[in-house]
Amino acid sequence: MEGDFEADFADIRELQVFTDKLEKLVQVLQRNVDIGQEIQSFIARAQRHSPSRLSPVFEDTASSLQTSILQHRVHSSRIQSLISRAKGSAMLVQNILDIRATDTAAKINVRMRELAEKNARETRSMSVLSLISAIFLPAIFLATIFGTNFFDYVEGNLHIASNFWIYIVMAVEN
């Protein structure tokens, strides 16, 4: 279908792994910011107890450190944005998969209903055939037995042939 989106549960898992890695990276950046702030505090204390001629070195170092901290915060903010987008994409993929699953379930339900209706029709047909068989089978059985040469009417009396047992054996075997 035009514009169809190929996705499966592996895609969601990959987005979750990606998001987990980004969250770990945010933690590392935050720890770097914390360490940078501790170093700034140490530099400020060291500058107070150092000769004034070292002041420009401390100020350059503090400025570089402040720039680094700001860059880490910017990177952390951008990564937070990526995390948010990845979670949104994962939700979108999950929604697409849910819609497809619902559509497939609806199609399966329609097919199951068709099969149930067909089964009901076949059951009614088999019931009719069973009823017809129950009515005519005894008559067919009697007609078959009396249509053989095992029985003979002589002067109004019924005589059974001596080899009738062969018929019984054959009927039981089948």
Side-chain angles (χ1 to χ4, degrees), residues 36-121:
Q37 289 172 339
E38 288 178 24
I39 292 172
Q40 272 183 329
S41 174
F42 176 77
I43 288 175
R45 282 193 313 267
Q47 186 176 5
R48 282 192 300 267
H49 299 302
S50 296
S52 61
R53 70 177 194 276
L54 293 177
S55 228
V57 174
F58 282 116
E59 289 173 9
D60 287 343
T61 305
S63 174
S64 296
L65 193 56
Q66 183 62 31
T67 302
S68 177
I69 290 172
L70 289 175
Q71 287 176 344
H72 278 74
R73 286 183 176 155
V74 167
H75 293 314
S76 179
S77 174
R78 288 180 178 170
I79 292 172
Q80 288 289 358
S81 175
L82 278 175
I83 291 171
S84 174
R85 292 170 91 185
K87 287 180 179 179
S89 296
M91 286 176 40
L92 177 64
V93 170
Q94 183 64 49
N95 289 341
I96 289 170
L97 293 175
D98 289 345
I99 289 169
R100 287 183 181 167
T102 302
D103 185 47
T104 301
K107 289 177 182 176
I108 289 172
N109 286 340
V110 167
R111 183 66 180 138
M112 292 299 285
R113 183 174 47 244
E114 290 171 357
L115 290 173
E117 290 170 357
K118 181 180 177 183
N119 189 28
R121 285 191 306 270

Side-chain angles (χ1 to χ4, degrees), residues 12-50:
I12 294 172
R13 180 67 189 136
E14 288 177 16
L15 281 170
Q16 288 173 341
V17 169
F18 178 65
T19 302
D20 290 344
K21 288 179 180 179
L22 288 176
E23 287 174 347
K24 288 177 184 175
L25 184 57
V26 166
Q27 290 173 351
V28 168
L29 288 172
Q30 184 57 46
R31 187 62 187 142
N32 286 345
V33 167
D34 293 344
I35 291 170
Q37 289 172 339
E38 288 178 24
I39 292 172
Q40 272 183 329
S41 174
F42 176 77
I43 288 175
R45 282 193 313 267
Q47 186 176 5
R48 282 192 300 267
H49 299 302
S50 296

Side-chain angles (χ1 to χ4, degrees), residues 1-15:
M1 180 185 325
E2 185 178 329
D4 200 12
F5 182 74
E6 292 294 323
D8 59 15
F9 290 105
D11 296 326
I12 294 172
R13 180 67 189 136
E14 288 177 16
L15 281 170

